[in-house]
Amino acid sequence: MSISLMSTNKFRTPVIGLHDNYNYDDVYEPAEDSFLLLDVLEQEFNFLSQLKPNICLEVGCGSGICITFLSQILEKQALFLCTDINPAAIQLTLQTAERNWQRVEPVLCDLTGAFEDRLKGKVDVLIFNPPYVVTSSGEVANGGIAASWAGGIKGREVIDRFLPKVSLLLSSTGVFYMVIIKENDQDDIEQVMLSQGLKMTVAGSRRAGCELLFILKFTRLPER
């Protein structure tokens, strides 16, 4: 069953960058998918606080709005890491964190390639707003700003590259939140993650124009 969320505005939405008139030609501008993820993180505040995370990681940080928000609501109690393949996104994330008095550590790399071995089994909170739009495979390969939204066949090409890494990265009590759209095939993703020992719930949903957005939440299955 899908859950539609409305923000209670308990926490302030981060201001992007150092200037209000930032040009988003090179970096994905926060949109409904970003704000739905913020709403879910806010709704999950009690759960996340009780988790007492040591390491939080966002893959594909873009403007930095989500990792900065997570840092705000958890009051800097953890190490906040993020990655992006786009140098402009890394720079903007640093500026967003600075403007909101937060400390995050952006790393320029593809997915989590820069530190997969070092973070194995250590990530307590993992978030990913992937490129999920259904496109040709060629658009995925082109890079640039298209890399923030072009998902290839079924919108799954980048998602499917990352899913096998999740169970390796998560700590024993870790949680993973991911944005998808209906076309990405939620049921298939659930089966893929079950095979890795992770159970899925739908933490939130929202319609944005022609897209039906979902936030999927994954945690480890109980050991038998």
Side-chain angles (χ1 to χ4, degrees), residues 96-189:
T96 298
E98 178 182 343
R99 188 169 184 182
N100 294 275
W101 303 285
Q102 303 300 311
R103 181 173 180 177
V104 303
E105 305 290 341
V107 178
L108 181 65
C109 70
D110 180 29
L111 300 177
T112 53
F115 40 45
E116 281 172 15
D117 290 340
R118 283 177 288 170
L119 292 184
K120 187 175 181 180
K122 296 180 180 178
V123 178
D124 299 302
V125 181
L126 179 62
I127 56 177
F128 189 26
N129 185 359
Y132 53 65
V133 177
V134 178
T135 67
S136 68
S137 294
E139 290 181 79
V140 179
N142 281 339
I145 187 65
S148 65
W149 51 265
I153 298 170
K154 291 177 61 176
R156 286 277 297 271
E157 292 189 29
V158 179
I159 290 173
D160 286 343
R161 285 180 53 221
F162 184 65
L163 292 184
K165 304 176 187 294
V166 174
S167 63
L168 300 175
L169 289 166
L170 285 184
S171 66
S172 59
T173 57
V175 59
F176 171 45
Y177 299 96
M178 182 173 69
V179 182
I180 68 161
I181 56 174
K182 182 179 179 181
E183 291 78 2
N184 299 149
D185 195 345
Q186 171 184 316
D187 291 340
D188 182 66
I189 290 173

Side-chain angles (χ1 to χ4, degrees), residues 195-216:
S195 71
Q196 299 182 37
L198 298 170
K199 66 177 180 179
M200 185 191 86
T201 56
V202 178
S205 67
R206 180 173 300 162
R207 181 166 291 282
C210 62
E211 291 182 342
L212 183 55
L213 297 160
F214 299 92
I215 307 294
L216 305 182

Side-chain angles (χ1 to χ4, degrees), residues 2-8 13 28 30-44 65-66 69 127-129 132 177-182 202-208 211-216:
S2 300
I3 303 170
S4 182
L5 297 175
M6 295 297 292
S7 175
T8 60
T13 300
Y28 181 74
E32 284 298 321
D33 52 353
S34 311
F35 298 121
L36 176 59
L37 181 53
L38 297 191
D39 284 351
V40 165
L41 293 175
E42 181 171 323
Q43 293 286 334
E44 293 279 287
I65 190 172
C66 293
F69 183 77
I127 56 177
F128 189 26
N129 185 359
Y132 53 65
Y177 299 96
M178 182 173 69
V179 182
I180 68 161
I181 56 174
K182 182 179 179 181
V202 178
S205 67
R206 180 173 300 162
R207 181 166 291 282
E211 291 182 342
L212 183 55
L213 297 160
F214 299 92
I215 307 294
L216 305 182

Side-chain angles (χ1 to χ4, degrees), residues 44-59:
E44 293 279 287
F45 170 69
N46 289 337
F47 168 78
L48 293 171
S49 295
Q50 291 169 9
L51 192 62
K52 293 182 168 49
N54 292 309
I55 297 179
C56 301
L57 170 63
E58 179 179 17
V59 178

